[in-house]
């Protein structure tokens, strides 16, 4: 690979309306990370994924708009990161099919979301797959395509998504192996255990499924009402209060400075009344959210501007990455221009000579060490370092014969030879082996 920047890719499911828990746990840290200079960042609205659960078109549209506006309002800068909508990149859907055809069905059977659905059906005495769509089953393949289409290196995710990243690696690796080249970078999950999870109104984790959320951009008076409705214990003003396990305190802490938090902790110890505590929490949250809310409202009033931003992101990204890459992948799998088939060629015309099958040669040098080299016809492609035993050299050759050019510590490309050329030669070798079988 060239010396490109690390690619970091973040998928945002377009369902529901963002709440404070999403903001603190996902949006705010992701936008802070998007400002890093040493990365090329991809942020996209996973609207195709949302269809698996949400099948109300008006809500799908509404939610996509709200979520796009939320990320923009919170400071995501479409000039500096790739910001796009999954469904605007048809190459993702095409790649989904290529990956579907290499993905092991058994692996998909083990995906958490699918397994949970099956377990629930069993517990209820239903047929295993009752009510399960093929969309739910295929979820990890679509997600793999999201990641692999841009050869992302790192994918920041919550723990629940690690399995999906592992599956994406598996699909990418299978494809690379079958088609004989490192087409896909194998992505890594980036898990940050430090991000805060907020408690909701009832003290349980803030989550849409518990119906205990505070919407991120609730109008000011509603925000205040919701903060004032948060669960507290029954201690009276004057009685010392526990900061540990107090949802109000936790909410204060993620919006306040360290100094403010220390002062607030002292107020707890000094027996601040719950009404006063709530007022302070409301103020500190509102201080950060108010300017964002103003931007959000301005954006929501101009949905056409958001549409333009998203389309522009997708258009540039397709031209730059997705279209050339899918063309390469079509070629790889054999969806090719028929006029270039050698059997169909006009017999009078000279068929393009197929590259010779490369050969590996093992030998021993005067230094007593064991070497190998890769030749294609009489062109030297690479020479290895010296190995201590013929077995070591042989193992390395065997790995290369599988098409793996990983690591380049133990060989040297010959003058004027690129790693692409060697990859192509190895692919040729693998193809010739397969043709023999
Ligand atoms: N599955 C992710 C979630 O539920 C969303 C998502 C879709 C995603 N495609 C992705 C995340 C690709 C990272 C990379 O949060």
């Amino acid at each position: 690979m060239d010396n490109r920047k690390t690619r970091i890719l973040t998928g945002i499911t377009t369902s529901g309306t963002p709440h404070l828990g999403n903001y603190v746990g996902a949006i705010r840290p992701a936008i802070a990370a998007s400002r890093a200079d040493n990365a090329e960042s991809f942020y996209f609205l996973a609207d195709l994924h949302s269809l698996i659960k949400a099948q109300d078109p008006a809500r799908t549209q509404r939610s996509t708009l709200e979520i796009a506006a939320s990320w923009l309002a919170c400071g995501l800068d479409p000039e500096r990161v790739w910001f796009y909508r999954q469904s605007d990149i048809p190459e993702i859907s095409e790649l989904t099919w290529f990956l579907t055809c290499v993905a092991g069905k058994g692996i998909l059977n083990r995906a958490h979301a699918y397994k949970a659905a099956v377990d629930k059906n069993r517990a209820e005495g239903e047929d295993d797959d009752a009510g399960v769509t093929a969309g739910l089953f295929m979820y990890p393949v679509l997600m793999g395509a999201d990641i692999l289409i841009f050869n992302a290196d790192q994918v920041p995710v919550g723990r629940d998504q690690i399995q999906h990243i592992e599956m994406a690696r598996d699909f990418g690796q299978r494809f690379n192996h079958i088609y004989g080249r490192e087409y896909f970078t194998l992505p890594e999950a980036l898990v940050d255990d430090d991000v805060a999870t907020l408690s909701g109104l009832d003290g349980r984790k803030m989550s849409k499924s518990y119906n205990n959320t505070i919407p991120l951009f609730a109008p000011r008076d509603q925000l205040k009402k919701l903060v004032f409705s948060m669960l507290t214990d029954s201690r009276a003003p004057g009685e010392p209060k526990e900061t540990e396990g107090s949802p109000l305190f936790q909410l204060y802490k993620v919006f306040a400075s360290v100094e403010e938090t220390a002062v607030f902790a002292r107020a707890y110890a000094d027996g601040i009344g719950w009404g006063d505590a709530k007022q302070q929490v409301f103020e500190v949250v509102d201080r950060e959210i108010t300017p964002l809310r103003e931007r959000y409202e301005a954006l929501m009033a101009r949905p056409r501007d958001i549409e333009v931003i998203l389309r522009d992101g997708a258009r540039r990204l397709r031209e730059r990455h997705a279209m050339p890459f899918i063309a390469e992948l079509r070629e790889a799998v054999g969806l090719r221009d028929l006029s270039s088939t050698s059997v169909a060629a006009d017999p009078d015309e000279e068929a393009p000579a197929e590259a010779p099958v490369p050969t590996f040669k093992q030998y021993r040098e005067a230094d007593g060490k064991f070497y190998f080299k890769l030749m294609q016809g009489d062109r030297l492609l690479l020479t290895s370092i010296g190995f201590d035993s013929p077995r070591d050299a042989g193992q390395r050759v065997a790995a290369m014969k599988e098409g793996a050019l990983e690591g380049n510590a133990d060989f040297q490309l010959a003058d004027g030879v690129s790693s692409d050329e060697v990859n192509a030669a190895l692919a040729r070798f693998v193809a010739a082996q397969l043709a023999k079988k």
Side-chain angles (χ1 to χ4, degrees):
M1 271 287 151
D2 44 349
N3 283 342
R4 62 174 173 83
K5 289 185 179 181
T6 302
R7 291 191 186 164
I8 305 181
L9 179 135
T10 303
I12 308 155
T13 308
T14 50
S15 57
T17 299
H19 53 70
L20 285 184
N22 300 137
Y23 174 71
V24 167
I27 304 177
R28 191 170 67 178
I31 289 177
S34 77
R35 305 209 162 103
D37 269 332
N38 52 357
E40 182 176 9
S41 301
F42 298 72
Y43 291 82
F44 72 96
L45 304 166
D47 57 348
L48 295 175
H49 275 107
S50 82
L51 300 182
I52 293 168
K53 278 196 199 152
Q55 297 180 330
D56 171 346
R59 273 188 54 193
T60 296
Q61 180 189 28
R62 175 86 197 166
S63 175
T64 306
L65 174 65
E66 286 181 355
I67 290 177
S70 299
W71 281 73
L72 292 167
C74 292
L76 192 72
D77 179 358
E79 301 285 315
R80 84 176 277 145
V81 303
W82 295 110
F83 183 49
Y84 56 101
R85 178 168 46 190
Q86 185 185 32
S87 63
D88 282 341
I89 313 248
E91 291 77 15
I92 293 175
S93 303
E94 188 166 353
L95 178 54
T96 300
W97 183 252
F98 294 171
L99 297 178
T100 301
C101 295
V102 301
K105 177 173 177 287
I107 290 181
L108 295 174
N109 287 339
R110 291 195 286 275
H112 298 317
Y114 172 68
K115 251 179 58 187
V118 170
D119 289 347
K120 184 158 173 286
N121 278 333
R122 287 190 185 160
E124 289 167 3
E126 297 276 357
D127 185 72
D128 272 10
D129 284 330
V132 176
T133 64
L136 176 68
F137 188 69
M138 296 295 296
Y139 188 111
V141 186
L142 178 58
M143 183 159 160
D146 292 334
I147 299 169
L148 298 176
I149 188 83
F150 298 121
N151 273 332
D153 301 289
Q154 295 177 348
V155 185
V157 286
R159 296 212 155 268
D160 60 321
Q161 297 286 320
I162 296 177
Q163 188 196 35
H164 291 148
I165 310 301
E166 280 164 3
M167 290 187 179
R169 293 174 64 88
D170 184 82
F171 307 149
Q173 200 157 28
R174 284 177 187 233
F175 188 100
N176 287 347
H177 185 72
I178 292 169
Y179 296 107
R181 226 174 86 190
E182 306 290 302
Y183 289 98
F184 295 119
T185 304
L186 305 184
E188 270 168 41
L190 212 60
V191 182
D192 184 353
D193 281 323
D194 289 340
V195 296
T197 37
L198 281 188
S199 303
L201 301 176
D202 57 358
R204 290 184 293 172
K205 179 185 170 190
M206 190 181 290
S207 160
K208 197 176 51 170
S209 37
Y210 294 146
N211 206 7
N212 64 358
T213 65
I214 302 181
L216 173 55
F217 294 125
R220 207 159 174 271
D221 52 340
Q222 199 196 337
L223 174 64
K224 182 162 179 178
K225 235 172 54 214
L226 288 169
V227 170
F228 273 75
S229 76
M230 284 177 74
L231 183 80
T232 57
D233 61 28
S234 56
R235 277 177 242 201
E239 281 184 73
K241 316 244 169 345
E242 294 285 345
T243 56
E244 185 75 29
S246 159
L248 267 179
F249 187 81
Q250 185 203 28
L251 184 55
Y252 187 90
K253 188 173 163 186
V254 296
F255 282 95
S257 68
V258 176
E259 294 76 22
E260 289 169 328
T261 305
V263 173
F264 198 52
R266 224 167 303 129
Y268 260 59
D270 292 345
I272 187 174
W274 286 126
D276 290 343
K278 286 173 172 175
Q279 179 64 28
Q280 289 197 35
V281 172
F282 162 67
E283 281 170 15
V284 77
V285 175
D286 189 53
R287 175 179 75 188
E288 181 164 328
I289 299 300
T290 290
L292 310 182
R293 188 196 297 117
E294 284 167 6
R295 277 210 294 259
Y296 177 76
E297 282 164 3
L299 284 157
M300 287 296 285
R302 303 177 65 88
R304 183 191 298 257
D305 291 0
I306 297 181
E307 183 64 30
V308 168
I309 291 173
L310 291 173
R311 285 198 192 187
D312 179 59
R315 183 188 52 76
R316 288 183 293 123
L317 193 50
R318 289 184 69 203
E319 278 169 17
R320 177 76 175 277
H321 293 299
M323 293 198 302
F325 192 35
I326 208 81
E328 195 185 331
L329 297 174
R330 285 174 144 256
E331 188 67 26
V333 300
L335 304 182
R336 294 181 183 158
D337 180 340
L338 300 183
S339 62
S340 67
T341 318
S342 46
V343 286
D346 182 337
D348 291 341
E349 228 173 83
E350 205 177 308
E354 205 176 0
V357 178
T359 48
F360 289 91
K361 302 220 160 91
Q362 280 180 246
Y363 55 98
R364 194 170 187 185
E365 285 279 20
D367 62 5
K369 297 204 180 228
F370 298 86
Y371 292 77
F372 66 85
K373 60 186 175 182
L374 178 62
M375 308 283 299
Q376 191 163 28
D378 42 21
R379 181 165 163 78
L380 175 66
L381 297 182
L382 61 81
T383 32
S384 74
I385 57 162
F387 291 91
D388 291 333
S389 74
R391 203 164 157 261
D392 291 342
Q395 273 175 356
R396 187 66 176 112
V397 168
M400 268 194 198
K401 284 183 174 172
E402 298 280 310
L405 191 62
E406 283 150 11
N408 49 9
D410 52 12
F411 63 82
Q412 259 185 335
L413 298 178
D415 276 350
V417 172
S418 68
S419 54
D420 280 349
E421 189 181 341
V422 176
N423 273 320
L426 291 177
R428 178 81 186 89
F429 184 89
V430 172
Q433 292 305 108
L434 288 175
K436 267 195 230 161
K437 278 181 192 161

